[in-house]
Amino acid sequence: VVGPGRGLTRGPALGHDGVGGVIKRTRWQTLVAVAVAAGSLTYVASQWWLGRGGNPLPISPVIALVLLGLAGVLFSFGRSVRRFVLGTQPGLDPLRAVRVLVLAKASALAGSAQLGFYVAQLIVVAETTDSPGGRALAWSNGFAAGACAVLVGVALLVEWYCRVPPVDSPDEVEGGMAA
């Protein structure tokens, strides 16, 4: 579904003529930039909020479980696409593979933004040790940040799973060589 400098190359999900757009892998530089931008904005807004007498934002520990659940579902979807690409699981709809790829890209970007948010909150909570429930907030933010890191890692792995091997010959068609 995706490859280095290549994108979607074949399949009914691509259009009438079999030519589709290019979907490039998510660059780690983009993910770092998103995390730093989200973290910086969160840190500045949190400092402003605390300076005006507000309390740190409460973070539910359930968030980490939800993010880890999403990572597990994404990994499961990605494994089925990987088996299809390798030829060990025939019959997967190429449109489903594209949807898994788009979910992986969205998860990587959203997880990166959330990672920046939770790390910034963790820093803010660590700086204000006198806040009510500061230790519990620090643990919640730490667990959520760890779950975001796992989600981003799984999303990048699933993107890699969705790569289509390069076509060696113009005679090659879906699933093998032309007779």
Side-chain angles (χ1 to χ4, degrees):
V1 178
V2 69
R6 299 181 50 142
L8 301 173
T9 56
R10 55 189 183 298
L14 302 177
H16 302 291
D17 58 359
V19 177
V22 175
I23 299 177
K24 301 207 181 219
R25 293 189 65 186
T26 305
R27 296 171 29 154
W28 66 268
Q29 295 94 336
T30 302
L31 297 177
V32 169
V34 167
V36 167
S40 298
L41 288 173
T42 301
Y43 183 80
V44 168
S46 295
Q47 290 296 346
W48 174 81
W49 178 254
L50 292 175
R52 297 182 52 89
N55 291 325
L57 293 175
I59 303 296
S60 172
V62 174
I63 290 174
L65 298 175
V66 170
L67 292 169
L68 291 174
L70 176 60
V73 168
L74 182 60
F75 181 75
S76 173
F77 288 166
R79 268 191 13 199
S80 66
V81 172
R82 181 67 177 161
R83 284 190 232 135
F84 172 71
V85 168
L86 293 175
T88 60
Q89 179 184 348
L92 182 74
D93 182 18
L95 184 57
R96 180 175 176 204
V98 172
R99 288 177 179 153
V100 170
L101 175 62
V102 171
L103 177 62
K105 289 185 77 62
S107 296
L109 291 169
S112 183
Q114 288 179 321
L115 178 63
F117 173 82
Y118 291 124
V119 167
Q121 286 293 330
L122 182 61
I123 292 169
V124 166
V125 169
E127 289 176 348
T128 58
T129 56
D130 59 337
S131 67
R135 180 172 265 201
L137 281 175
W139 279 107
S140 294
N141 281 299
F143 285 139
C148 287
V150 168
L151 178 61
V152 170
V154 167
L156 291 176
L157 177 67
V158 169
E159 274 191 42
W160 183 79
Y161 279 174
C162 292
R163 290 178 307 126
V164 171
V167 178
D168 294 330
S169 162
D171 295 334
E172 194 169 332
V173 294
E174 292 180 38
M177 299 293 287

